[in-house]
Amino acid sequence: MTTHTRVAVVGLGALGAAALWRLAARGVDVVGFEQFGIGHALGSSHGQTRLFREACLEHPGLAPMAAESRTLFRQLEQASGKELLRITGGYLIGSPESDVVAGTARAADAYGLPYERLDRAALAARLPQQAELPPDACGIHDPGCGVIDPEATVVAAVAEAARLGAAVHTHTTVETLEPGADGVRITAGGRVHTADAVIVAAGAWLPPFIPELELTPVRTPLHWFAPDRDGAGSATDFAVDRFPVIVRQTDPETVLWGHGAVDGGLVKLGIGDIWGERPPRIDPSALDRGVNTAEWRRLSALVERVLPGLDPVPARVEPCMITLSPDDQFVIGTSPASPRILVAGGDSGHAFKHCLAIGESLARDVAGEAQPYDLDFVRPGRFAV
Ligand SMILES: Cc1cc2nc3c(=O)[nH]c(=O)nc-3n(C[C@H](O)[C@H](O)[C@H](O)COP(=O)(O)OP(=O)(O)OC[C@H]3O[C@@H](n4cnc5c(N)ncnc54)[C@H](O)[C@@H]3O)c2cc1C
């Protein structure tokens, strides 16, 4: 028997779970399909933490989205009884003209967000774990930075959606979507469903559903480091309260990002991918889930140079993926495939902090509500020829 719902969501990672929750919160009849379990470690939304920043240097239009997400994180924390976003403050470091320092200041100034400028001496005093600060180094202290628990966020959003009436089908792969005059025919797990509208939030698996959008899934592993017990580092120096969120531009192409150990864990660090060379396209279902020494050698060398208190050999590595759009901004809203198919993807490595606001904006689209801030820079139509 065919079942019909007003909206179906394909993929319940960060973006799909958020859309499901925000639609269910409006009383919309909604069903979600997830090929794995909820909060799994096989897509883009696993690995214990994601950085949160409100003064987003990636695009000046992202600040209101991050602010709305912060409000919704607090709402989801209330509903779930779990801490999902821990505000730690953070340091954005580079030369005065660097993308990281100048871009963050631009976004903060545009939206009146508070921050503190630090010269090299102040920066070195606040973060003595750092080495090789060049003579022109300076920094911004952004009190709004923090760390998010990604798995707990996805689990909480889906649980809250289900509590509000959403149907959730886990371990059910959506095979085809066929939009027609009366709705969209969905085949999933060998059964047929229909919906008035479908939101495709399939992460790295999204491109074949909407080939009109040039989205490229790539492998981007997560790396964790431990203090070097024989060297200068100690667990206390690298706990998150002493070593909070950092984003340090070490040269025009290289950005080291990360944060100190949360609750006695490891220090998480990575190299900014969005400014560098594009990695090769991968097939997410055939992702190499092994650990590749060549892949972390560049990060390891950078850690050895600028954070000498850490053991430069990663203590833990986990595969992950991001999906790049041509301009490194998300792709959110009505797709070129059909007015009945909305898309939520092209995360480009920085969407987790915005996921709840993205879910809310998709719910507003479906409900025909006005958007409270500009979304043109993330609309799929910007790629239309
Ligand atoms: C190393 C790394 C570091 C990052 N750091 C940050 C950070 O600090 N801050 C930040 O904001 N962002 C960060 N990100 C980006 C952020 O994690 C992603 O933008 C976000 O998790 C993307 O969520 P998603 O919902 O698009 O994808 P996913 O979470 O992968 O969700 C897609 C879901 O769709 C499901 N699916 C796919 N196809 C089907 C199908 N046919 N049927 C049913 N289900 C299907 C998948 O199983 C999956 O669960 C980082 C990403 C990586 C990899």
Side-chain angles (χ1 to χ4, degrees):
M1 199 187 79
T2 304
T3 51
H4 182 86
T5 45
R6 168 129 159 65
V7 184
V9 180
V10 181
L12 300 177
L15 306 189
L20 193 79
W21 172 41
R22 298 319 299 156
L23 284 160
R26 282 172 168 73
V28 174
D29 176 29
V30 59
V31 59
F33 296 97
E34 169 52 51
Q35 64 182 343
F36 303 124
I38 304 302
H40 65 86
L42 301 169
S44 301
S45 298
H46 60 281
Q48 295 175 336
T49 53
R50 290 291 185 272
L51 304 188
F52 180 85
R53 287 174 286 118
E54 210 168 307
C56 295
L57 55 108
E58 291 85 353
H59 192 282
L62 289 167
M65 205 185 278
E68 180 168 51
S69 253
R70 182 171 35 79
T71 304
L72 289 167
F73 269 111
R74 296 303 176 225
Q75 208 173 308
L76 193 55
E77 285 176 334
Q78 287 260 313
S80 65
K82 291 221 161 68
E83 184 185 46
L84 303 174
L85 164 63
R86 182 188 295 195
I87 296 297
T88 60
Y91 293 93
L92 294 301
I93 302 160
S95 66
E97 317 73 37
S98 59
D99 295 315
V100 166
V101 171
T104 302
R106 242 191 327 270
D109 289 340
Y111 293 94
L113 300 171
Y115 67 95
E116 183 187 359
R117 281 192 186 273
L118 303 169
D119 62 16
R120 187 182 181 284
L123 194 57
R126 297 264 191 107
L127 284 180
Q129 302 89 337
Q130 296 191 95
E132 293 213 4
L133 277 177
D136 67 342
C138 66
I140 282 179
H141 178 252
D142 175 352
C145 292
V147 288
I148 307 164
D149 181 335
E151 288 94 340
T153 300
V154 171
V155 168
V158 174
E160 190 53 10
R163 193 187 68 75
L164 293 166
V168 177
H169 297 289
T170 57
H171 304 285
T172 306
T173 302
V174 171
E175 287 123 23
T176 58
L177 297 175
E178 296 164 72
D182 300 330
V184 184
R185 189 172 186 272
I186 303 157
T187 46
R191 295 187 54 194
V192 177
H193 304 255
T194 56
D196 296 340
V198 175
I199 295 173
V200 189
W205 289 266
L206 195 151
F209 282 108
I210 307 175
E212 295 89 340
L213 297 170
E214 277 178 49
L215 302 178
T216 310
V218 302
R219 183 184 145 101
T220 46
L222 301 151
H223 301 88
W224 289 263
F225 295 82
D228 180 2
R229 288 183 187 81
D230 303 327
S234 79
T236 318
D237 293 337
F238 285 99
V240 74
D241 56 337
R242 298 265 287 275
F243 190 72
V245 168
I246 60 143
V247 182
R248 175 172 167 185
Q249 190 160 358
T250 53
D251 64 56
E253 261 100 54
T254 312
V255 174
L256 180 71
W257 57 261
H259 62 80
V262 176
D263 299 333
L266 294 163
V267 177
K268 192 175 198 180
L269 295 168
I271 287 189
D273 302 300
I274 49 174
W275 291 279
E277 208 177 289
R278 299 212 154 205
R281 181 187 200 96
I282 48 105
D283 169 358
S285 294
L287 178 70
D288 173 5
R289 297 197 174 271
V291 174
N292 177 344
T293 315
E295 213 167 36
W296 52 257
R297 213 163 262 155
R298 181 168 156 240
L299 173 60
S300 188
L302 185 61
V303 168
E304 184 162 35
R305 193 158 66 76
V306 305
L307 294 170
L310 293 175
D311 182 340
V313 176
R316 182 179 159 201
V317 182
E318 247 186 66
C320 200
M321 300 176 277
I322 59 173
T323 305
L324 299 169
S325 78
D327 63 2
D328 287 333
Q329 300 307 329
F330 322 133
V331 187
I332 310 294
T334 306
S335 83
S338 157
R340 292 187 179 275
I341 298 189
L342 290 86
V343 61
D347 74 279
S348 302
H350 58 114
F352 207 100
K353 64 181 79 60
H354 304 288
C355 68
L356 300 183
I358 290 173
E360 177 72 0
S361 53
L362 287 161
R364 281 194 290 257
D365 279 347
V366 167
E369 297 167 20
Q371 300 290 350
Y373 46 84
D374 175 44
L375 290 173
D376 287 352
F377 71 104
V378 294
R379 292 305 200 187
R382 72 190 187 278
F383 298 128
V385 179

Short mmCIF file of all heavy atoms in Angstrom, two decimals, residues 333-377:
data_model
loop_
_atom_site.label_atom_id
_atom_site.label_comp_id
_atom_site.label_asym_id
_atom_site.label_seq_id
_atom_site.Cartn_x
_atom_site.Cartn_y
_atom_site.Cartn_z
N GLY A 333 17.12 25.04 -0.62
CA GLY A 333 15.86 25.55 -1.18
C GLY A 333 15.42 24.76 -2.39
O GLY A 333 15.92 23.66 -2.66
N THR A 334 14.49 25.33 -3.14
CA THR A 334 13.90 24.64 -4.30
C THR A 334 14.97 24.28 -5.31
O THR A 334 15.79 25.12 -5.69
CB THR A 334 12.84 25.55 -4.96
OG1 THR A 334 11.92 25.93 -3.95
CG2 THR A 334 12.09 24.82 -6.06
N SER A 335 14.94 23.03 -5.76
CA SER A 335 16.01 22.54 -6.64
C SER A 335 15.66 22.80 -8.10
O SER A 335 14.49 22.99 -8.43
CB SER A 335 16.21 21.04 -6.43
OG SER A 335 15.26 20.34 -7.20
N PRO A 336 16.68 22.75 -8.97
CA PRO A 336 16.37 22.88 -10.40
C PRO A 336 15.64 21.66 -10.95
O PRO A 336 15.09 21.70 -12.04
CB PRO A 336 17.75 23.05 -11.05
CG PRO A 336 18.76 22.69 -10.03
CD PRO A 336 18.11 22.64 -8.69
N ALA A 337 15.62 20.53 -10.20
CA ALA A 337 15.00 19.30 -10.70
C ALA A 337 13.49 19.43 -10.77
O ALA A 337 12.85 18.94 -11.70
CB ALA A 337 15.37 18.12 -9.80
N SER A 338 12.88 20.10 -9.79
CA SER A 338 11.42 20.23 -9.73
C SER A 338 11.05 21.19 -8.61
O SER A 338 11.72 21.22 -7.57
CB SER A 338 10.81 18.85 -9.43
OG SER A 338 9.52 18.98 -8.85
N PRO A 339 9.96 21.95 -8.76
CA PRO A 339 9.53 22.82 -7.65
C PRO A 339 9.11 22.01 -6.43
O PRO A 339 9.02 22.56 -5.33
CB PRO A 339 8.34 23.59 -8.23
CG PRO A 339 8.07 23.07 -9.58
CD PRO A 339 9.14 22.09 -9.98
N ARG A 340 8.84 20.73 -6.61
CA ARG A 340 8.45 19.88 -5.47
C ARG A 340 9.65 19.30 -4.73
O ARG A 340 9.49 18.65 -3.71
CB ARG A 340 7.57 18.72 -5.96
CG ARG A 340 6.22 19.16 -6.48
CD ARG A 340 5.35 17.95 -6.76
NE ARG A 340 4.04 18.34 -7.25
CZ ARG A 340 3.02 18.66 -6.47
NH1 ARG A 340 3.17 18.62 -5.17
NH2 ARG A 340 1.85 19.00 -6.99
N ILE A 341 10.84 19.45 -5.29
CA ILE A 341 12.04 18.89 -4.64
C ILE A 341 12.92 20.02 -4.13
O ILE A 341 13.40 20.85 -4.90
CB ILE A 341 12.81 17.96 -5.60
CG1 ILE A 341 11.90 16.79 -5.99
CG2 ILE A 341 14.10 17.46 -4.96
CD1 ILE A 341 12.53 15.67 -6.74
N LEU A 342 13.10 20.03 -2.80
CA LEU A 342 13.99 21.01 -2.19
C LEU A 342 15.29 20.31 -1.85
O LEU A 342 15.32 19.09 -1.61
CB LEU A 342 13.37 21.60 -0.92
CG LEU A 342 12.16 22.52 -1.14
CD1 LEU A 342 10.88 21.71 -1.21
CD2 LEU A 342 12.06 23.54 -0.02
N VAL A 343 16.35 21.07 -1.79
CA VAL A 343 17.66 20.48 -1.54
C VAL A 343 18.26 21.14 -0.30
O VAL A 343 18.00 22.31 0.00
CB VAL A 343 18.54 20.66 -2.81
CG1 VAL A 343 18.74 22.09 -3.16
CG2 VAL A 343 19.86 19.96 -2.68
N ALA A 344 19.02 20.34 0.46
CA ALA A 344 19.76 20.86 1.62
C ALA A 344 21.10 20.17 1.60
O ALA A 344 21.24 19.03 2.03
CB ALA A 344 19.02 20.57 2.92
N GLY A 345 22.11 20.82 1.05
CA GLY A 345 23.41 20.15 0.93
C GLY A 345 24.50 21.11 0.54
O GLY A 345 24.42 22.31 0.81
N GLY A 346 25.53 20.55 -0.14
CA GLY A 346 26.70 21.36 -0.52
C GLY A 346 27.33 21.97 0.71
O GLY A 346 27.73 23.14 0.71
N ASP A 347 27.45 21.18 1.76
CA ASP A 347 27.84 21.73 3.09
C ASP A 347 29.20 22.42 3.07
O ASP A 347 29.46 23.31 3.88
CB ASP A 347 27.82 20.63 4.15
CG ASP A 347 29.00 19.70 4.02
OD1 ASP A 347 28.96 18.79 3.17
OD2 ASP A 347 29.99 19.89 4.76
N SER A 348 30.08 22.01 2.14
CA SER A 348 31.40 22.64 1.96
C SER A 348 32.22 22.74 3.24
O SER A 348 33.07 23.62 3.39
CB SER A 348 31.23 24.03 1.30
OG SER A 348 30.56 23.90 0.07
N GLY A 349 31.92 21.85 4.17
CA GLY A 349 32.76 21.73 5.38
C GLY A 349 32.45 22.72 6.48
O GLY A 349 33.18 22.79 7.46
N HIS A 350 31.32 23.48 6.38
CA HIS A 350 31.07 24.43 7.48
C HIS A 350 29.59 24.55 7.84
O HIS A 350 29.15 25.57 8.38
CB HIS A 350 31.69 25.80 7.18
CG HIS A 350 31.21 26.47 5.91
ND1 HIS A 350 30.49 27.63 5.92
CD2 HIS A 350 31.36 26.14 4.61
CE1 HIS A 350 30.22 28.00 4.68
NE2 HIS A 350 30.74 27.11 3.86
N ALA A 351 28.81 23.47 7.60
CA ALA A 351 27.35 23.62 7.78
C ALA A 351 26.84 23.20 9.14
O ALA A 351 25.68 23.50 9.47
CB ALA A 351 26.61 22.85 6.69
N PHE A 352 27.66 22.48 9.94
CA PHE A 352 27.04 21.95 11.16
C PHE A 352 26.51 23.06 12.05
O PHE A 352 25.41 22.98 12.59
CB PHE A 352 27.97 21.01 11.95
CG PHE A 352 27.14 20.04 12.74
CD1 PHE A 352 26.92 18.76 12.30
CD2 PHE A 352 26.48 20.45 13.89
CE1 PHE A 352 26.07 17.89 12.97
CE2 PHE A 352 25.63 19.59 14.58
CZ PHE A 352 25.43 18.32 14.11
N LYS A 353 27.31 24.11 12.22
CA LYS A 353 26.90 25.19 13.13
C LYS A 353 25.58 25.82 12.69
O LYS A 353 24.86 26.37 13.49
CB LYS A 353 28.00 26.26 13.24
CG LYS A 353 28.29 26.98 11.95
CD LYS A 353 29.41 28.00 12.06
CE LYS A 353 30.79 27.41 12.03
NZ LYS A 353 31.12 26.66 10.79
N HIS A 354 25.28 25.72 11.38
CA HIS A 354 24.08 26.37 10.83
C HIS A 354 22.91 25.39 10.68
O HIS A 354 21.85 25.78 10.20
CB HIS A 354 24.39 26.96 9.45
CG HIS A 354 25.54 27.92 9.46
ND1 HIS A 354 25.45 29.17 10.02
CD2 HIS A 354 26.82 27.81 9.01
CE1 HIS A 354 26.61 29.79 9.90
NE2 HIS A 354 27.46 28.99 9.30
N CYS A 355 23.12 24.10 11.04
CA CYS A 355 22.15 23.09 10.61
C CYS A 355 20.74 23.38 11.11
O CYS A 355 19.77 23.21 10.36
CB CYS A 355 22.61 21.68 10.98
SG CYS A 355 22.63 21.32 12.76
N LEU A 356 20.60 23.85 12.35
CA LEU A 356 19.24 24.03 12.88
C LEU A 356 18.54 25.19 12.18
O LEU A 356 17.34 25.12 11.89
CB LEU A 356 19.28 24.22 14.39
CG LEU A 356 19.90 23.03 15.18
CD1 LEU A 356 19.83 23.27 16.68
CD2 LEU A 356 19.24 21.71 14.83
N ALA A 357 19.28 26.23 11.86
CA ALA A 357 18.69 27.36 11.12
C ALA A 357 18.37 26.95 9.68
O ALA A 357 17.37 27.40 9.11
CB ALA A 357 19.64 28.56 11.12
N ILE A 358 19.21 26.08 9.11
CA ILE A 358 18.92 25.59 7.75
C ILE A 358 17.61 24.80 7.76
O ILE A 358 16.74 24.97 6.90
CB ILE A 358 20.10 24.76 7.21
CG1 ILE A 358 21.30 25.67 6.92
CG2 ILE A 358 19.70 23.98 5.96
CD1 ILE A 358 22.59 24.94 6.55
N GLY A 359 17.45 23.93 8.78
CA GLY A 359 16.20 23.18 8.92
C GLY A 359 15.01 24.11 9.07
O GLY A 359 13.95 23.93 8.46
N GLU A 360 15.20 25.17 9.84
CA GLU A 360 14.12 26.15 10.05
C GLU A 360 13.80 26.90 8.74
O GLU A 360 12.63 27.11 8.42
CB GLU A 360 14.55 27.14 11.15
CG GLU A 360 13.60 28.26 11.44
CD GLU A 360 12.32 27.85 12.17
OE1 GLU A 360 12.15 26.65 12.46
OE2 GLU A 360 11.49 28.74 12.42
N SER A 361 14.82 27.26 7.98
CA SER A 361 14.53 28.00 6.74
C SER A 361 13.84 27.10 5.72
O SER A 361 12.96 27.57 4.98
CB SER A 361 15.79 28.66 6.16
OG SER A 361 16.80 27.73 6.01
N LEU A 362 14.18 25.80 5.70
CA LEU A 362 13.48 24.88 4.80
C LEU A 362 12.02 24.73 5.22
O LEU A 362 11.12 24.69 4.39
CB LEU A 362 14.17 23.51 4.80
CG LEU A 362 15.52 23.49 4.06
CD1 LEU A 362 16.34 22.29 4.50
CD2 LEU A 362 15.30 23.48 2.55
N ALA A 363 11.79 24.66 6.54
CA ALA A 363 10.41 24.55 7.04
C ALA A 363 9.63 25.82 6.66
O ALA A 363 8.46 25.75 6.28
CB ALA A 363 10.42 24.33 8.54
N ARG A 364 10.31 26.97 6.71
CA ARG A 364 9.64 28.22 6.31
C ARG A 364 9.30 28.18 4.82
O ARG A 364 8.22 28.60 4.40
CB ARG A 364 10.53 29.43 6.61
CG ARG A 364 10.51 29.84 8.09
CD ARG A 364 11.12 31.23 8.31
NE ARG A 364 12.55 31.27 8.11
CZ ARG A 364 13.46 31.30 9.09
NH1 ARG A 364 13.08 31.29 10.36
NH2 ARG A 364 14.73 31.34 8.83
N ASP A 365 10.25 27.66 4.01
CA ASP A 365 9.98 27.54 2.57
C ASP A 365 8.74 26.69 2.32
O ASP A 365 7.85 27.05 1.56
CB ASP A 365 11.17 26.87 1.85
CG ASP A 365 12.31 27.83 1.56
OD1 ASP A 365 12.10 29.05 1.66
OD2 ASP A 365 13.42 27.35 1.23
N VAL A 366 8.69 25.53 2.99
CA VAL A 366 7.58 24.59 2.78
C VAL A 366 6.27 25.22 3.23
O VAL A 366 5.23 25.09 2.57
CB VAL A 366 7.85 23.27 3.53
CG1 VAL A 366 6.60 22.42 3.61
CG2 VAL A 366 8.99 22.50 2.88
N ALA A 367 6.31 25.94 4.34
CA ALA A 367 5.08 26.54 4.90
C ALA A 367 4.73 27.87 4.22
O ALA A 367 3.71 28.49 4.56
CB ALA A 367 5.26 26.75 6.40
N GLY A 368 5.57 28.31 3.28
CA GLY A 368 5.30 29.57 2.58
C GLY A 368 5.49 30.79 3.45
O GLY A 368 4.88 31.84 3.22
N GLU A 369 6.34 30.68 4.48
CA GLU A 369 6.60 31.83 5.38
C GLU A 369 7.76 32.66 4.82
O GLU A 369 8.65 32.13 4.16
CB GLU A 369 6.98 31.32 6.78
CG GLU A 369 5.88 30.53 7.47
CD GLU A 369 6.40 29.78 8.70
OE1 GLU A 369 7.47 30.14 9.24
OE2 GLU A 369 5.74 28.81 9.10
N ALA A 370 7.76 33.95 5.17
CA ALA A 370 8.86 34.82 4.74
C ALA A 370 10.13 34.46 5.50
O ALA A 370 10.07 34.04 6.65
CB ALA A 370 8.49 36.28 5.01
N GLN A 371 11.28 34.62 4.83
CA GLN A 371 12.57 34.38 5.50
C GLN A 371 13.02 35.67 6.18
O GLN A 371 12.95 36.74 5.57
CB GLN A 371 13.63 33.94 4.48
CG GLN A 371 13.30 32.65 3.74
CD GLN A 371 13.37 31.41 4.64
OE1 GLN A 371 13.85 31.48 5.76
NE2 GLN A 371 12.88 30.29 4.12
N PRO A 372 13.50 35.60 7.42
CA PRO A 372 13.84 36.84 8.13
C PRO A 372 15.20 37.42 7.74
O PRO A 372 15.54 38.52 8.17
CB PRO A 372 13.84 36.40 9.59
CG PRO A 372 14.12 34.94 9.56
CD PRO A 372 13.57 34.42 8.27
N TYR A 373 15.99 36.69 6.96
CA TYR A 373 17.28 37.23 6.50
C TYR A 373 17.56 36.71 5.10
O TYR A 373 16.92 35.74 4.65
CB TYR A 373 18.44 36.88 7.47
CG TYR A 373 18.47 35.44 7.94
CD1 TYR A 373 19.07 34.46 7.17
CD2 TYR A 373 17.89 35.08 9.16
CE1 TYR A 373 19.09 33.14 7.61
CE2 TYR A 373 17.92 33.77 9.60
CZ TYR A 373 18.51 32.80 8.82
OH TYR A 373 18.51 31.50 9.24
N ASP A 374 18.52 37.34 4.45
CA ASP A 374 18.78 37.04 3.04
C ASP A 374 19.37 35.63 2.88
O ASP A 374 20.31 35.26 3.58
CB ASP A 374 19.77 38.08 2.50
CG ASP A 374 20.19 37.75 1.09
OD1 ASP A 374 19.30 37.40 0.29
OD2 ASP A 374 21.40 37.82 0.79
N LEU A 375 18.78 34.87 1.95
CA LEU A 375 19.30 33.52 1.67
C LEU A 375 19.73 33.37 0.20
O LEU A 375 20.05 32.26 -0.22
CB LEU A 375 18.23 32.47 2.00
CG LEU A 375 17.90 32.28 3.48
CD1 LEU A 375 16.70 31.35 3.65
CD2 LEU A 375 19.09 31.70 4.24
N ASP A 376 19.73 34.48 -0.54
CA ASP A 376 20.05 34.36 -1.98
C ASP A 376 21.40 33.69 -2.20
O ASP A 376 21.58 32.95 -3.17
CB ASP A 376 20.09 35.75 -2.64
CG ASP A 376 18.68 36.32 -2.80
OD1 ASP A 376 17.72 35.57 -2.54
OD2 ASP A 376 18.56 37.50 -3.18
N PHE A 377 22.35 33.92 -1.30
CA PHE A 377 23.71 33.39 -1.52
C PHE A 377 23.78 31.88 -1.30
O PHE A 377 24.81 31.28 -1.61
CB PHE A 377 24.73 34.13 -0.64
CG PHE A 377 24.64 33.81 0.83
CD1 PHE A 377 25.58 32.97 1.43
CD2 PHE A 377 23.64 34.34 1.61
CE1 PHE A 377 25.50 32.67 2.78
CE2 PHE A 377 23.54 34.04 2.96
CZ PHE A 377 24.48 33.20 3.54
#
